[in-house]
Structure formats: structure tokens, C-alpha cells
């Protein structure tokens, strides 16, 4: 036993510290973060600007703060159910994980402040939601809703940083939050398995979101400006925009639907974990579809390009 009461890990099988931290922070899941801000910025601007970059940095830091804090808060539970995780295995000290969570939160808020007061006004409740979720809410019925709120706020952060306004982004934030709500509900049983109803509900949610994203928008007068369209949450009617949005939405459905269906047919822990992993990876094409929906093809393509990178790194480090 180590001085902190943890099982010692022999040096000959101890992974490197960078590998342990990559596992703790679930680095492949980091690719699902920039798309939140880009989708939010897309609702108020045609392309990212320097303030958007600061907001992406803030979002990345707050997301990773939540990852580190999650494992710190779950270290006792992980010792029983997931002893291979970095903290219970002794590869990362609990104090180091908590320090990282605090430092990343402070850095995230500082970057948001650099993007402007409106961005900080969104980042502060986002950070509070992350900490409240990890330290208690995730063990309550309010857990999935808290996580959905965090994702929605992350998207609103992009809009606030880019224009100082969040109202045009509320529709996109609601769609992203709905996906996150369904995914988080499934993830609550990933180590024990459970009822097929939960993944079946997530599958139905995926179908509903795909339908909303793929339906053709109503015709609008050619002189309608972009701001009014974004403010109403109406999709763009720009040439080629609908095709890109449909392609991204179908990629979202293809990524999430199959593992959800498998988990519904057999809600065992392995298949439930695959469903959670698929749902996490599906966040990227969903974000791309939301950017395309707001007539921001560049943001949509940048976001979509993150999907193969996430899939590649997920083969080396688990995203759940």
C-alpha cells in the first residue's frame, strides 16, 4: 500500500504520467468542445473572430476542469467499480487532480473575461454548473439536466463572446442541451447496465433532433438579413446550406443511433458504455449541423473535421 492507502502500481507496468493525465482528462472528448462555441458564434456571426478563439480556450479549460473534478469526486466509487482509473490506481494523486480542476477553472474564467464581459457573464454560471454537477448533482435526478444546462451554456458562451447577445443562440442551445440530456441519462448506468427504456428514449431523441435539423426551412424573402434570421432561430436558405446541414445531421444520426439501438436491445454494461461513447462522438456532427443551420459553412466544416480526430484518439484513450 502507498502512503495514501492506495494499491501500489509496479513500476514495470506503470503507464507514463502524460498517459495517466490523458486518461484522467479524457482527451479524445476534448474534440467535442470547440463545436459548442463555434455553433453559438454561428448564430450571430458568419465566421469566428478573435473573441471566439478566447471563448474556445475558456470552454476547453472549463470542460477539462470538470473532467479532473469528476474523477476527484468519484475516487471512492471508482476504487470499487473502476480501479484501473488514474486516481484509484495511484497513477495520479487526488490532490493533483483537485489542483488541476481549480487551476483550469480559474484559467477558463480568465480567458472568458478576455473575450469580454458578456462572455464572462455566461462562463461564470457555466463553471458553477460544472462544479455543482461533479460535487453532488450528478448523484441526484437533476444530474442529467445540470449536464444539459452546462452544454447549452457552453454554446451560449460562443454567442456572448462574439456579439454580446445570447438570444439568437437559444434555439441551437436547446437542441444541443436535449441531446446532452438524453446522453447523460444513458451514462448514469454505464457501469451497471439497466433498463432498455433509457437508450430507447435516447434513440427516439436522436431521431427527433435529426428530423428537426433535416427538414427544409420555409421560403423567406431574399432581402431578409442574416441577423433577423438568426434571431428567429430559422435555418438559412443559402444555396448549399441545406445540403450541408442534412449531411451533418445524418452523420449525427448514424453515429448515435446504432449504439443506442444495441444498448436498447441488450442494456449490458459494455453495450451501454458503447452507447455513451457513440453519443459523445455524435456531439461533433450535431454541432456541425447547428453551425450549418445558422449559415456558417466554414464553422460547420471546421467542426466536422474534428470527428475523425476524435475517433482516432478514442482508440487510445477512453472517452467515458
Amino acid at each position: 500500500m502507498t502512503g495514501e492507502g492506495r494499491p501500489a502500481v509496479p513500476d514495470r507496468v506503470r503507464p507514463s504520467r502524460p498517459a495517466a493525465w490523458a486518461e484522467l482528462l479524457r482527451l479524445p472528448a476534448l474534440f467535442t468542445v470547440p463545436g459548442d462555441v463555434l455553433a453559438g458564434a454561428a448564430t450571430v456571426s458568419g465566421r469566428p473572430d478573435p473573441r471566439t478563439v478566447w471563448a474556445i480556450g475558456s470552454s476547453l479549460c472549463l470542460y477539462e476542469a470538470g473532467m479532473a473534478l469528476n474523477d476527484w469526486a468519484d475516487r471512492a466509487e471508482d476504487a470499487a467499480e473502476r480501479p484501473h482509473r488514474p486516481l484509484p490506481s495511484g497513477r495520479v494523486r487526488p490532490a493533483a487532480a483537485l489542483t488541476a480542476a481549480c487551476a483550469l477553472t480559474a484559467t477558463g474564467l480568465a480567458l472568458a473575461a478576455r473575450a469580454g464581459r458578456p462572455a464572462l457573464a455566461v462562463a461564470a454560471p457555466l463553471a458553477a454548473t460544472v462544479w455543482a454537477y461533479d460535487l453532488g448533482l450528478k448523484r441526484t435526478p437533476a444530474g442529467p439536466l445540470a449536464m444539459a444546462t452546462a452544454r447549452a451554456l457552453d454554446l451560449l458562451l460562443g454567442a456572448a463572446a462574439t456579439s454580446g447577445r445570447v438570444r439568437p443562440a437559444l434555439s441551437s442551445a436547446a437542441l444541443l442541451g436535449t441531446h446532452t440530456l438524453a446522453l447523460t441519462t444513458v451514462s448514469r448506468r454505464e457501469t451497471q447496465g439497466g433498463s432498455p427504456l433509457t437508450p430507447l428514449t435516447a434513440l427516439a431523441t436522436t431521431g427527433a433532433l435529426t428530423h428537426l435539423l433535416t427538414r427544409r426551412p420555409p421560403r423567406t424573402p431574399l432581402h431578409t438579413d442574416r441577423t433577423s434570421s438568426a434571431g428567429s432561430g430559422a435555418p438559412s436558405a443559402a444555396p448549399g446550406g441545406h445540403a450541408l446541414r442534412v449531411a451533418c445531421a445524418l452523420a449525427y444520426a448514424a453515429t448515435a443511433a446504432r449504439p443506442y439501438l444495441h444498448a436498447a436491445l441488450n442494456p449490458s454494461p459494455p453495450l451501454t458504455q458503447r452507447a455513451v461513447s457513440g453519443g459523445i462522438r455524435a456531439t461533433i456532427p450535431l454541432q456541425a449541423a447547428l453551425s450549418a443551420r445558422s449559415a456558417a459553412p466554414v464553422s460547420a466544416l471546421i467542426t466536422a473535421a474534428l470527428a475523425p480526430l476524435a475517433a482516432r484518439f478514442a482508440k487510445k484513450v477512453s472517452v467515458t
Side-chain angles (χ1 to χ4, degrees), residues 34-225:
D36 289 348
V37 173
L38 290 174
T43 64
V44 294
S45 175
R47 63 186 62 183
D49 67 16
R51 291 170 298 180
T52 309
V53 176
W54 289 115
I56 290 175
S58 172
S59 177
L60 291 170
C61 288
L62 294 177
Y63 186 87
E64 289 294 42
M67 290 297 180
L69 185 63
N70 177 79
D71 275 28
W72 179 84
D74 286 353
R75 61 194 185 282
E77 178 182 331
D78 284 347
E81 297 183 355
R82 294 175 287 265
H84 60 281
R85 294 290 302 159
L87 265 64
S89 68
R91 290 177 287 139
V92 175
R93 295 178 180 275
L98 181 59
T99 299
C102 294
L104 286 166
T105 299
T107 303
L109 292 175
L111 292 173
R114 184 66 177 81
R117 287 185 179 181
L120 181 59
V122 175
L126 171 57
T129 302
V130 169
W131 277 73
Y133 174 83
D134 283 334
L135 296 182
L137 287 180
K138 65 183 172 184
R139 297 181 177 84
T140 73
L145 183 59
M147 181 60 74
T149 300
R151 272 288 184 180
L153 286 171
D154 204 31
L155 187 146
L156 295 180
L157 176 61
T162 304
S163 72
R165 298 178 295 123
V166 298
R167 185 174 180 180
L170 292 177
S171 175
S172 292
L175 295 178
L176 180 62
T178 299
H179 163 73
T180 307
L181 177 65
L183 170 60
T184 308
T185 303
V186 174
S187 73
R188 288 163 72 89
R189 302 293 300 177
E190 66 176 312
T191 59
Q192 299 92 7
S195 167
L197 180 61
T198 302
L200 192 61
T201 301
L203 178 62
T205 300
T206 301
L209 292 176
T210 302
H211 172 70
L212 290 173
L213 290 167
T214 55
R215 66 181 182 180
R216 184 174 292 276
R219 292 183 178 275
T220 56
L222 293 178
H223 65 271
T224 301
D225 64 24

Side-chain angles (χ1 to χ4, degrees), residues 7-34:
V9 181
D11 290 338
R12 61 187 177 85
V13 298
R14 185 189 298 272
S16 66
R17 284 185 61 83
W21 277 97
E23 185 180 347
L24 174 74
L25 298 175
R26 297 168 180 83
L27 287 187
L30 204 59
F31 291 100
T32 72
V33 179

